[in-house]
Each structure stands twice: as C-alpha cells, then as structure tokens.
Amino acid sequence: MSKTTFKQLGIFVLLLFLISGRTSKNWGMEYDSSPPNQPGFIDSWHFWNKDLSFCGQSIYVVNNQSVPFSFDFFHSIFSDRFSNFKSNSLFHNISLSQNDSKASNSEQKSEDSAESMESESPDHFSAEESKVESEISKSKKLEDSDSSLKTESATDMASKKISILSFEEKMLAEVVPEKETKKTAAPKKWIPNLRVLAGSPPTILDLCDSIAKFDLEGSFGTPGTLQPELLTISMVSPSDQSVLEPEIQGTNLILNWAAKGNAQTEVVVRIEYPDCLPVYLSFNAEIWQPNYFWMIAVVIGGLGLFLIGMRNMSEGVQMMAGSSLRRLIAFFTENRFLAVGIGLLTTMLIQSSSVTTVMVVGFINSQIMTLSQGIGVIMGANIGTTVTGWILALKIEDYGLPLLGISAFFYLFSANVRVRYVSMSLMGLGLIFFGLKTMQSGFFILKDIPNFSQWMSYVDATSFFGVIKCACLGCLMTLVLQSSSATIGITISLATIGVIDFNTAAAFVLGENVGTTITALLASIGTTTVAKRAAYFHVIFNIIGVCWVLVIFLPILLPLVTSMANVQGEKNIAAGIALTHTLFNVSNTILFLPFTKVFASLLTRFVKESEVPKDSKLMLTSLGIRNMETPIIAIERSRVEILRMMNGCIQLNDWIRKIIDEKDYDNKELIEQAFKQEDVLDHMQDEVITFLADMMSKNLSVDIAEMARGQLRMSDELETVSDYLISVLKSNLKLHETGLQFPEMEMDSFTELDNSVRDHLIMIRKSYTERDSGTDVLQDIYQRRKGFTFRVKQTRDRFLKRMSEEKIDPLVVVAFNSQLNFYRRLREHAQNIAEAMTNIR
C-alpha cells in the first residue's frame, strides 16, 4: 500500500474515534523506558480504554512507591520529569490495533506490571493497590457490553468525561497520602498548647491517651479498638531546637525544655496506623523566663494608680458633701449607736478607716471628744471601710479606662463646680479599677512560677494553723503599706487571677483588720493618755475579733460566705472577700457595742494617767498626725486648734486678772504658768500656720480654701491677743517690783475694760463652736465699740486730771498709758477675730 493509502486510513480511524467516542475493539498504548529501572523515572506505564469510567487510571512506580496515575497529578508533581519524557521521545512505539488478542495481551502485560509493582511497593500502600486491582477486574467484565455502547452520542461521551474527572479526584483523595497532595487536611489539635517555665522538667505526653480522648472521627478505626503497638510515630518538626528537644519513646512524646530563653515554636507529630491515612498532630510550645523587674514595676505602678484613685474619689465625695460632712464629723454624741453611725458614714465618704481613726485620736487628744464617743466612732469606722471591698467586687475592670477618660473631659472642660466634683469622683473610680487590673497583670507571672506556688502551699488556709499563718501574712502586708484598702485590692487581684484560693484570701482579710491598727498607734505617739487609750482600743477591738472568728472560720464562716456569695473557684471570689470583710466587722461590732463604757473604764483603769509636759510639740501633736491630705478632716482638725487657742487666751486672761486683782505677785507658780501659756500660744500659731499653709498648697474646694484663710487670720489675731495680755501682766509686775501701783479708781477701770475684752472672746468662741455665721457676734462687737472707746477716753481724762491734782510717779504714768493702749488694742484684735470668722476683709 502506498503512503497516501496509509494516511487516508489513519484519518478515517481518527474520525471514527471522534464520532463514536470509542472503537469497537480495545486499543492500548505501551512504553518501555530506556534505561530501565532508573530511580526517578517511570519504569512502566500502561493505558487502557476498556472502560471510559476508568480511563486515565493506572499504577506507576516512582522511587519504589506505587501511586495511581492521573494526568493532573502527573503534571502537577512531575512536570519537570514530564518535560524530560517528551524531549527523549518517551512517548514512541504507540501502536493501535483492533485485534482482540493483542488487546488481551496488553491487559496481561498490565496485570504483570501491577504484580511486579506490588512486590516492590511498601506495605502501607497494599490497601490502595487492592482498590486499583478491583477496578481493573471491573473493567474486564465490561468488555462484553462494548458492542451495546457503540451508538453512544457525543453528548454521552462528554458526560462520561466529566465522570472520569470526578472519579480521578475521588481516587486521588482516597489513595494518595495526605502530605503528598495539595488537598492535605489541617493538622489535628489533639494536644493543647504548652507554656512552660524555662528549665522545667521534661513533659511527657501520652499520644494514645490523646487519641482516645479526641479522635471522635475515627481516624484510626472504630474508637476504643486502637492497638498502640501498631502505631508508627515520627517527628515532623520542630527543626529549631532552641525551645525544646523532642524525643519519642514508644507512644510517649517527651519534650525536653531548654534551660533559658523566651521563644515559641510549632511541634508537629506524624502518626501512622495500618489501613488508615496518616494523621498529623500540631501544637504550640513556648518557654518563658519571668521578668521580675517588669513584674515589680507593674505592681507598684498599679498600686500607685489604685491609691491615687482612692484619694481622688474620696476628695470628690468630700467636696460634694461639703458642709454636711463637716457637721457630721463635728456631731459627737454619747449615744453609742449614733457614734457608730457617725463613724460608718464618715468612713464611707472618706473611704479610709485609718483617716477616721486618726481623726478620733486627734479630737480626743484635743479634749473635744470623750473616750466613750471615740470608741463608738472607731467601731463604726471598721464597718465603713468594708465599702471599699464591695466597690472592688464590681465587675467593671475593663471599663476603668473609658470611665477615666470620659470623666477627665468633664473635669477639665466643665465650668460647673458640682459637675467637676462628680467627675473627680468618677475619675478616682476609674483609676481604682485600672490600677486593680494593672496589678493583676503584674501578679499573673506569679501564677506560673513553680517556686511561688510551692511557697504559697505553706500558707494554704486549709487548717487552723494555716489560717493563722495567712492572717499573719495579711497583717504584715498592711503594716508595710499602711492602708487596709490597698491590701484588700492586692488580695482581690491575687485571688481573681487564681494565684491564691478563696480560703487563703479570706484569711488574709482577717490579718488586714489587725494590720490597719498600726496607723492609730503611730498617731498616738506623743499624745495625751486619753488619746493613747483610744488607739489601744482599736488594737484590742480587732485582735479579740480575729481570735474568736478564727475558731469559727473553717467550720462556719467560710461555708456561710461561700453559699451567700455563690463562690465557685474564681467565680464571685471578689464578692466573697468583700462579704467576709463585712461579716467580720459587723459581728465584731455587735459583740462589743453593749460593752462600750465597760471598755472605756477598763482602759482608764489599766492605762494610767501620765504627766504630760506642756510643751508646744505635745500640745499640737494632733496637727502633726498623718492623713492631713484629706481636706475636710484637715480643716476640722485645724479648727479644733483654733478653738484651743481661744480657750488658751481666755484662760490666760483669767490668770492675769487673778494676779492683778488679788495683788498676788508673789505667786511665782501662777505667774510662771501665765508666761508659759503665752509661749505655748506662740508655738500653736506657728504650727497652725505651717499646717494650713501646707494644706492650702493642695487641691481644695473654694469653701475649704476660704475657711483655711480665715483660720490663718484668726490664729494670728489670737497670738497677738496673748501678747497684749502678757504685756499687761509685765506692766503690773514692773510697778510691783518698784513698790508702785495704780490708783484704786484706775484699777477698777482696767478691770472693766478687761471684762469687756473677755466678753468679746467668749462670744466669739461660742459662735465658732456652734458653727454660727458670726454675723450677730460681729454686730454686737460693733455696737459695743463706742461704749468701749468712751470708757477708755473717760479713764484717760480722769487720770490726767489726777496728775494735775497730785504728784504721780512717772513710771506709773508710763505704765498707765501702756495698759490703756493694750486694752484698746485687745478690743480691736477681738473685732478682727470676729471679722475673720465671718470671712469679712
């Protein structure tokens, strides 16, 4: 046959294939590689068209692994080798035949090739090969139906091709190993992420246990039928061993952690099981080293924010309360219930039992408050301080910064004074919660430090002695910080993040109640005996309370609080701590309240009166007591000292009048006492001025600043009054030493003038004590001014007339003029005091 005939025959066969979609007989394609069995090349490749649903599927061997053939797979994985096949004319020797025998021979070769590949393929691919063989056998059975399929249309052929592609994808997903396809499944998260302190002992992970717990999909067969000895485990990563060095022993994964560093890596483990696809387990591993400097800095910063917030909130509330709070502080009563109520309300507004207790010590020291009154106020203050715990129990830590920011805008840009005070209180509240959250972030490191956890196990409040140790630790914390509110905040921070449990936190609260008494003890140093008795009662009150609560702490108190606050682990733990604090102080107050006078008598009996030197320092220790940064408390304490200066001036006037009227110039003791009183008043003025000047340098409300300026002026005027009174005494003493004296009529005039000045001082003191406006007193003094001036002029005229009638010693004349001028000045300074009291310039 000619070449043209062959070409025509070939075109005819090709057209027949394209039209019918298949030939009446099988046709095959065969390739024998050269050189044979070279690694990385295809050793044999067979293609059948026995069944279009199986078209394109065969087995080929690459690197001694049997893999199902697919054009897509072949092109994506071996594109480089595919190009080599073309360049080397790999696809030659293709023969078409319509001979049934030759087709069968081709099938036989394919079977022989499959058998040879089966002997060379790894064991874990035997299941896949069996699937392919079963599909080949199915294709053989379909040969008998070839003739019936000859008339299939081109549309049917297209649908068949679609089914061929879907079948190829299905077979590829079933047979090809996961890591070798583009459709690899995500690694299993059957092992939780690990965060371990650097240098920790090795961590042992039982992979069988993880499979049993988390293999819900049955990746290794039916759950519960896993045979650990058939598992094949290998490490995939990490390649970087700066975090850990993994080691596999049997079915255990051993993680040997690095000795130091801060780093993390991903660990991937491959697990294989017969007749199952391999599974990859992935988890993150991290080592860390505690940064103690950062932790201390964050905790200190958070504590500072917390304390500043407490102060701002307290000042804002005080400024809003204004004169009402000042009247509450000054309202002392012998009624024990009212005294407790005053202490409770005052501490709720001031947010510090230490400030209230120090105020009580100062007032008792100044003899403004009795010991019985002070005991009731102290018990109320202990209840009032529990409000801080309830504020901290509010679950608004995350809203601290927004609350702070919004309040700051109102505080800075609002012209309304009351809005500014409210904003200041809310700013303080925001700082409290932000500081609390900051402390928690700093303490969070402690939770993961094994040494700290081991140390905390020694103070675990699970036994009676454990509760005592925890209480002692809480007491020590409060002694150092000098603030029970701060230690309550720290306790809640530690408990909220799980560093300490609820039992330990509740035991800390007991100790904190004892530790807060140190403030009153320090305030009582150098004070009078009565003030010391009040400080001692505060200590006794809390120590006895802790002692009897310790007996019922584990069996009664903790179960009661847990049920009332619904404390479960770290849930509601802050509310549980606040409730423990409240129950302790309320029950303690109920126990002590009926015996208020009994305790006052016992303290008076056992704490003996000591002789107190009458120097300035001891007289004014109430102004030297700390916590004067609370404006309302500070202004009230300075007010007490102004009253004491008034009493001192009146007392000095009485002593001088007694010496002069009785001509008792030989009474050295009384004269010395008068001079000492004037010296005390001088020092009192110095300390009041120092105290008020320091207070006025702080942020004060308008009315408190006005009161402070008035008190400064009053203290100066009172000191001047004492100077003029002592000058009157000096003038009379000088005359007595020379054997001279004033005429009797002039002495009566001086006595009348002196009584008028004394009346002015008594009226001013009464009005100041009763917190009157002072307007009526000032009007009375103005009305008496003319009468006083008339008496001074009348006395001078009478004395000048006497000088013309009889001989008078020049020293008497000088002393007379001086005393007359002294009394005139005394009246003017008394008027100045009344004007300062009413803030009249």
Side-chain angles (χ1 to χ4, degrees):
M1 297 178 66
S2 63
K3 293 183 179 180
T4 305
T5 304
F6 277 108
K7 288 181 180 180
Q8 293 175 350
L9 181 61
I11 293 171
F12 175 78
V13 172
L14 181 60
L15 290 174
L16 181 63
F17 172 77
L18 293 176
I19 294 172
S20 63
R22 61 181 299 154
T23 59
S24 59
K25 300 292 183 179
N26 294 328
W27 59 273
M29 184 167 54
E30 184 177 20
Y31 161 72
D32 294 325
S33 64
S34 178
N37 301 322
Q38 182 175 343
F41 284 85
I42 298 176
D43 292 323
S44 63
W45 178 61
H46 297 275
F47 185 86
W48 295 271
N49 194 34
K50 296 178 181 291
D51 180 22
L52 286 176
S53 65
F54 191 62
C55 183
Q57 297 294 335
S58 183
I59 296 292
Y60 64 92
V61 178
V62 178
N63 294 333
N64 297 323
Q65 288 189 358
S66 299
V67 184
F69 174 77
S70 168
F71 282 113
D72 292 339
F73 177 80
F74 184 90
H75 181 71
S76 62
I77 304 299
F78 299 99
S79 59
D80 55 336
R81 304 231 171 107
F82 186 68
S83 62
N84 291 333
F85 297 156
K86 286 184 177 181
S87 63
N88 291 298
S89 301
L90 295 176
F91 295 98
H92 66 285
N93 195 21
I94 301 177
S95 62
L96 299 176
S97 175
Q98 297 180 358
N99 193 320
D100 293 339
S101 61
K102 189 169 182 178
S104 62
N105 291 337
S106 176
E107 293 168 357
Q108 183 64 37
K109 287 183 180 181
S110 176
E111 293 174 1
D112 295 340
S113 176
E115 291 176 358
S116 63
M117 285 185 290
E118 180 179 357
S119 61
E120 296 176 359
S121 62
D123 293 337
H124 62 277
F125 281 104
S126 59
E128 287 81 353
E129 290 179 298
S130 63
K131 293 180 181 179
V132 175
E133 291 176 355
S134 64
E135 294 294 333
I136 293 173
S137 63
K138 291 180 181 179
S139 66
K140 291 179 180 179
K141 294 178 181 179
L142 293 175
E143 291 181 5
D144 298 333
S145 59
D146 284 349
S147 59
S148 63
L149 298 176
K150 290 180 181 180
T151 59
E152 288 185 356
S153 62
T155 305
D156 296 332
M157 184 61 187
S159 63
K160 285 291 185 178
K161 289 181 179 180
I162 295 174
S163 65
I164 290 171
L165 295 176
S166 61
F167 180 81
E168 287 181 357
E169 292 175 357
K170 179 179 179 182
M171 289 295 297
L172 185 62
E174 290 179 352
V175 181
V176 180
E178 250 185 295
K179 70 173 185 178
E180 300 177 46
T181 67
K182 292 183 179 180
K183 300 179 182 179
T184 302
K188 306 293 185 181
K189 291 293 183 180
W190 292 351
I191 301 176
N193 295 333
L194 300 177
R195 186 173 185 267
V196 179
L197 187 68
S200 295
T203 302
I204 301 176
L205 300 176
D206 187 351
L207 299 183
C208 282
D209 184 59
S210 298
I211 294 172
K213 289 181 179 178
F214 300 104
D215 187 16
L216 303 179
E217 301 174 356
S219 301
F220 299 118
T222 305
T225 62
L226 182 70
Q227 301 181 36
E229 64 274 6
L230 298 181
L231 289 175
T232 302
I233 303 174
S234 60
M235 290 298 306
V236 178
S237 66
S239 58
D240 181 12
Q241 297 184 346
S242 61
V243 177
L244 56 85
E245 294 182 3
E247 179 182 352
I248 296 176
Q249 292 183 2
T251 60
N252 290 332
L253 174 61
I254 301 176
L255 306 177
N256 299 299
W257 303 100
K260 59 181 179 180
N262 286 278
Q264 65 177 355
T265 186
E266 183 182 19
V267 180
V268 181
V269 181
R270 176 187 171 103
I271 303 178
E272 297 176 282
Y273 194 71
D275 300 329
C276 297
L277 295 177
V279 172
Y280 294 87
L281 303 186
S282 172
F283 63 94
N284 292 328
E286 179 184 0
I287 59 170
W288 67 282
Q289 286 181 302
N291 188 337
Y292 293 106
F293 173 78
W294 179 87
M295 184 193 73
I296 294 172
V298 171
V299 170
I300 292 176
L303 181 60
L305 292 172
F306 180 88
L307 294 176
I308 292 175
M310 291 291 297
R311 177 177 175 182
N312 283 353
M313 186 176 68
S314 174
E315 289 183 359
V317 172
Q318 292 175 48
M319 291 177 181
M320 284 190 293
S323 58
S324 300
L325 180 58
R326 292 197 299 273
R327 285 194 295 269
L328 178 65
I329 294 173
F331 183 69
F332 304 121
T333 176
E334 290 294 338
N335 187 304
R336 67 190 74 178
F337 297 101
L338 289 178
V340 171
I342 290 172
L344 170 62
L345 293 175
T346 303
T347 308
M348 286 177 59
L349 295 174
I350 297 175
Q351 282 298 303
S352 175
S353 61
S354 298
V355 173
T356 306
T357 306
V358 168
M359 175 192 71
V360 170
V361 172
F363 286 166
I364 292 177
N365 180 69
S366 302
Q367 300 179 352
I368 302 299
M369 182 186 293
T370 64
L371 181 59
S372 297
Q373 292 172 331
I375 287 175
V377 175
I378 288 173
M379 289 191 290
N382 275 22
I383 300 176
T385 193
T386 62
V387 176
T388 303
W390 288 109
I391 292 175
L392 300 180
L394 297 174
K395 298 296 182 181
I396 57 173
E397 293 91 345
D398 296 334
Y399 304 100
L401 275 179
L403 182 63
L404 173 61
I406 295 172
S407 303
F409 279 106
F410 283 98
Y411 179 77
L412 293 174
F413 302 113
S414 177
N416 189 303
V417 176
R418 190 165 187 82
V419 171
R420 286 172 57 87
Y421 293 160
V422 174
S423 300
M424 179 182 289
S425 300
L426 295 178
M427 282 172 57
L429 188 62
L431 280 172
I432 287 173
F433 287 109
F434 180 58
L436 190 68
K437 197 167 186 64
T438 304
M439 282 193 292
Q440 290 176 1
S441 64
F443 284 132
F444 199 85
I445 295 177
L446 298 175
K447 185 178 181 180
D448 297 326
I449 298 178
N451 292 337
F452 180 81
S453 301
Q454 183 180 3
W455 181 77
M456 286 302 299
S457 64
Y458 294 115
V459 290
D460 190 12
T462 55
S463 63
F464 180 76
F465 291 103
V467 174
I468 294 177
K469 287 188 290 186
C470 292
C472 292
L473 183 59
C475 177
L476 181 62
M477 290 168 58
T478 311
L479 289 175
V480 173
L481 296 177
Q482 291 281 296
S483 173
S484 60
S485 296
T487 50
I488 287 289
I490 292 174
T491 302
I492 290 178
S493 298
L494 292 173
T496 302
I497 62 177
V499 175
I500 59 176
D501 58 12
F502 173 65
N503 291 14
T504 304
F508 277 2
V509 170
L510 299 183
E512 289 160 5
N513 281 276
V514 177
T516 191
T517 60
I518 189 63
T519 307
L521 283 176
L522 293 176
S524 67
I525 297 175
T527 59
T528 61
T529 305
V530 181
K532 290 178 181 178
R533 289 168 183 163
Y536 295 159
F537 170 78
H538 193 205
V539 177
I540 294 171
F541 174 74
N542 285 283
I543 290 179
I544 294 179
V546 168
C547 289
W548 76 265
V549 169
L550 283 175
V551 179
I552 66 168
F553 184 78
L554 289 175
I556 299 177
L557 183 62
L558 280 184
L560 178 63
V561 172
T562 302
S563 61
M564 292 178 65
N566 193 23
V567 179
Q568 297 176 0
E570 297 176 10
K571 178 184 177 183
N572 297 330
I573 195 168
I577 294 172
L579 182 59
T580 303
H581 197 194
T582 302
L583 287 179
F584 168 77
N585 284 289
V586 170
S587 58
N588 212 24
T589 299
I590 293 174
L591 181 66
F592 275 76
L593 191 58
F595 308 101
T596 300
K597 293 184 178 180
V598 175
F599 276 102
S601 300
L602 291 175
L603 288 168
T604 303
R605 179 178 179 181
F606 289 103
V607 182
K608 299 296 183 181
E609 196 76 42
S610 58
E611 185 177 352
V612 180
K614 295 183 180 180
D615 54 32
S616 60
K617 288 288 182 183
L618 191 58
M619 294 291 290
L620 295 178
T621 47
S622 61
L623 289 184
I625 296 174
R626 57 179 293 251
N627 288 321
M628 74 174 188
E629 66 272 6
T630 307
I632 291 183
I633 297 295
I635 203 68
E636 286 300 318
R637 282 163 54 189
S638 60
R639 181 178 178 279
V640 168
E641 298 306 325
I642 296 297
L643 285 172
R644 293 184 62 201
M645 289 187 71
M646 290 180 182
N647 291 330
C649 288
I650 294 172
Q651 184 66 56
L652 178 61
N653 183 78
D654 291 342
W655 289 340
I656 293 174
R657 193 77 260 149
K658 180 180 179 181
I659 294 171
I660 295 175
D661 290 347
E662 297 179 2
K663 297 182 174 54
D664 192 9
Y665 297 109
D666 295 330
N667 190 346
K668 302 296 182 183
E669 183 179 354
L670 186 58
I671 293 173
E672 183 180 353
Q673 190 174 357
F675 278 99
K676 198 167 190 177
Q677 178 77 347
E678 192 272 337
D679 187 56
V680 167
L681 290 171
D682 287 344
H683 286 285
M684 287 179 73
Q685 182 216 12
D686 293 339
E687 294 192 17
V688 168
I689 290 175
T690 302
F691 181 84
L692 290 173
D694 191 11
M695 186 188 74
M696 291 178 67
S697 64
K698 304 180 185 305
N699 185 23
L700 302 177
S701 61
V702 176
D703 58 337
I704 292 180
E706 194 73 18
M707 291 179 63
R709 286 190 289 268
Q711 289 181 0
L712 279 172
R713 185 180 176 189
M714 291 173 71
S715 66
D716 182 63
E717 297 292 343
L718 287 169
E719 190 275 333
T720 304
V721 167
S722 67
D723 289 342
Y724 280 118
L725 287 174
I726 208 70
S727 296
V728 172
L729 176 61
K730 288 179 179 179
S731 177
N732 282 274
L733 288 175
K734 189 174 182 180
L735 285 178
H736 175 72
E737 289 174 358
T738 58
L740 301 174
Q741 63 179 4
F742 292 115
E744 194 69 27
M745 187 173 293
E746 274 63 36
M747 288 295 298
D748 294 339
S749 297
F750 286 149
T751 300
E752 187 178 353
L753 294 175
D754 186 88
N755 289 334
S756 179
V757 171
R758 186 177 184 277
D759 289 342
H760 285 3
L761 294 175
I762 290 175
M763 285 190 302
I764 293 171
R765 182 183 64 179
K766 182 176 182 297
S767 177
Y768 196 62
T769 302
E770 296 176 355
R771 298 177 182 271
D772 291 339
S773 62
T775 304
D776 295 339
V777 174
L778 186 60
Q779 292 296 328
D780 194 1
I781 291 176
Y782 283 158
Q783 291 175 3
R784 295 187 183 193
R785 178 171 54 186
K786 292 182 180 180
F788 189 90
T789 302
F790 175 77
R791 282 194 295 272
V792 169
K793 185 177 181 180
Q794 185 183 40
T795 302
R796 182 188 294 114
D797 293 342
R798 187 170 58 246
F799 184 75
L800 292 175
K801 184 178 179 181
R802 183 184 291 275
M803 288 177 60
S804 61
E805 294 177 355
E806 58 183 84
K807 184 176 176 61
I808 299 178
D809 192 282
L811 291 176
V812 174
V813 176
V814 173
F816 175 83
N817 288 328
S818 296
Q819 284 213 67
L820 203 60
N821 185 59
F822 292 154
Y823 283 115
R824 190 174 69 251
R825 296 296 183 185
L826 283 170
R827 194 213 65 81
E828 292 175 356
H829 286 292
Q831 178 178 313
N832 293 339
I833 294 172
E835 291 175 350
M837 186 175 62
T838 56
N839 295 319
I840 296 176
R841 296 292 180 264

